[in-house]
Amino acid sequence: MKKKAKEVRQEAVEVICPKCRETSIVYFPKESMPTCPYCKVEMVIKEILTEGKYG
């Protein structure tokens, strides 16, 4: 019997730049934490987006 690999669930996360407040949506763990295209600093998590996802 083969063991099934644990399915990693992707979560949509809204990230924001702490300097200029630019926002973006990324999917964890598929994507890494982005850097702001204007300020070149690492963005931080603002909100985990779960609205409309069931199951």
Side-chain angles (χ1 to χ4, degrees):
M1 187 166 134
K2 293 182 180 180
K3 288 188 176 184
K4 205 174 197 182
K6 186 176 179 183
E7 185 176 319
V8 179
R9 195 169 166 180
Q10 295 179 12
E11 294 288 334
V13 178
E14 184 177 12
V15 292
I16 189 167
C17 174
K19 283 186 174 183
C20 70
R21 313 309 278 175
E22 175 73 24
T23 60
S24 179
I25 295 175
V26 295
Y27 291 90
F28 286 135
K30 185 178 179 182
E31 301 176 34
S32 61
M33 187 63 78
T35 56
C36 178
Y38 307 109
C39 304
K40 306 296 185 221
V41 283
E42 187 174 12
M43 299 175 106
V44 294
I45 296 175
K46 178 181 179 185
E47 182 180 0
I48 298 174
L49 305 173
T50 56
E51 187 70 29
K53 290 180 126 183
Y54 300 102

